[in-house]
Amino acid sequence: MRHLTRCACFLLVLAALMFPLQYVAAAPGHQPSSARLSRDMQRIIVLINQRRAEAGIAPVYVNGVLMACAQQYSQVQAAQGTINHTGPDGSTPGQRLRRCGYNWRHFGENLAAGYVDPDELVAAWMASPGHRKNILNPKVREIGLGYTHRADDPGYYYDYYVMLVGVRR
């Protein structure tokens, strides 16, 4: 019995080290909570916050408005079958954020398509200077992620991701 207790404690500590929940928790008063995020979305946020920690930068926290805005734009991208920072209506990321109700001081938008693995996705963003700059921007404090799968994608990307980071006024 004593051996089982030690083993259980070890496994709990190991799980806490492997999946640090503070990296995916919502900022106070902002939903969704980490419990509502898919496993892949949680993994993406963990990886982003690990890269930020390695650079000595504070973590980003989930913001419900950014999540909704990112999800909406991932659906737009999937419907178009391509990724573009300029919306089909000519909108910029900053304009879309304001339309979603996010009054930003600083923001960044990362787009991606065709990745099925969160580790591969974040590695690709980190290998791109512009995407890396958004992830490691010390001014931003909040994050939202969107994901849409399109089974009949003519471009064969199938999986569309939007990452929004920001800090409000």
Side-chain angles (χ1 to χ4, degrees), residues 48-126:
I48 286 169
N49 279 327
Q50 284 176 349
R51 299 307 167 273
R52 288 175 66 88
E54 290 164 4
I57 301 167
V60 289
Y61 296 94
V62 173
N63 175 281
V65 174
L66 291 179
M67 290 295 291
C69 200
Q71 181 58 41
Q72 180 182 18
Y73 200 58
S74 74
Q75 293 167 347
V76 168
Q77 300 291 271
Q80 293 183 153
T82 188
I83 56 175
N84 194 324
H85 292 286
T86 302
D89 61 353
S91 62
T92 65
Q95 290 169 329
R96 289 190 298 276
L97 281 170
R98 285 210 169 93
R99 280 196 307 231
C100 287
Y102 192 81
N103 189 18
W104 54 268
R105 185 176 343 138
H106 300 285
F107 76 89
E109 178 184 72
N110 286 0
L111 306 177
Y115 296 94
V116 295
D117 177 76
D119 292 73
E120 187 179 302
L121 170 68
V122 173
W125 277 340
M126 291 302 291

Side-chain angles (χ1 to χ4, degrees), residues 123-140:
W125 277 340
M126 291 302 291
S128 164
H131 294 109
R132 179 184 181 89
K133 183 178 177 183
N134 286 338
I135 288 171
L136 298 181
N137 183 342
K139 294 177 183 175
V140 299

